[in-house]
Amino acid sequence: MKKWTLLALLSAVLMVLAACGDSEEEAGGGESGEGESYRVGIDTTYPPFEFEEAGEYTGIDIDLINAIAENQGFEIDFNPMDFGGIIPALQADQLDVAIAGMSITDERKEIVDFSDPYFDAGLSLVVAEDNSDITSLEDLEGKTVAVKSGTTGAQFARDNEAEYGYEISQFEDSPSMFQEVSNGNADVLLEDYPVIAYAIAESELALKTVGERLTGDQYGIAVLKGENAELLEKINAGLQELRDSGEYDEILNKYIAE
Ligand code: GLN
């Protein structure tokens, strides 16, 4: 009798384990079994969120996703790319997840599902340090505005181009865009204020922000829409755990001075 009970129990446990295995596989990036590996798209020219230091990826986004992967038991395969290529790569099934200082927008929500917001950001107008003519959008008539492809900054520039009468000049990464304004080839650029504040503080860039912040938005972690509900749940659960444990604040404080 005892033996039977044990056998029944054992087979029940095995069935549950098998079921868990299955559902994990469906949710994941196609790898099998435990410790699923997800392809994570990142924009490594975007400090303090993502950058390379001594050959390692580092920054707020990198630490957050690594910590989430650890508390949710999955592996990460980082795929660095230009920001403008990240959503297309998700759509082409070349990525499972994107964390790239990516702002949550209604337009993007039609293509991707976002995690809970994890950071407040928004756009600032940035000019050369010695520029005293430009303090707001009203001063941009006939000027050149540098933006980065695929970003909310590029979208904002397009949306307001007709009203303010400037030319748009597009770049693939933030450092090239910063360079363009500091060397005088463009008059202004649009960038998320935490990013430009960090760049000005940490490097020799002769740039400054002017005027009011133009927009407010929040960063989210993205997965392809409608196909990754379980992965998104893990990401949100992981994020919440980091907030509860205080690790989220530790990560932010490591990169951003109070
Ligand atoms: N937050 C901006 C966006 O989502 C810029 C992101 C980036 O350049 N990595 O478009």
Side-chain angles (χ1 to χ4, degrees), residues 43 46 50 83 86 100-105 108 121 123 148-153 174 191-192 217 219:
D43 171 7
Y46 213 54
E50 317 176 11
F83 183 80
I86 290 181
M102 188 184 286
S103 305
I104 300 173
T105 68
R108 289 179 182 153
L123 292 169
K148 174 167 149 190
S149 298
T151 62
T152 47
S174 290
E191 181 58 280
D192 289 3
D217 60 36
Y219 291 168

Side-chain angles (χ1 to χ4, degrees), residues 27-45:
E31 314 274 311
S32 63
E34 299 206 328
E36 199 102 33
S37 181
Y38 294 107
R39 299 159 301 175
V40 176
I42 50 173
D43 171 7
T44 52
T45 56

Side-chain angles (χ1 to χ4, degrees), residues 42-59:
I42 50 173
D43 171 7
T44 52
T45 56
Y46 213 54
F49 294 92
E50 317 176 11
F51 53 108
E52 261 186 271
E53 203 169 59
E56 301 265 332
Y57 299 133
T58 183

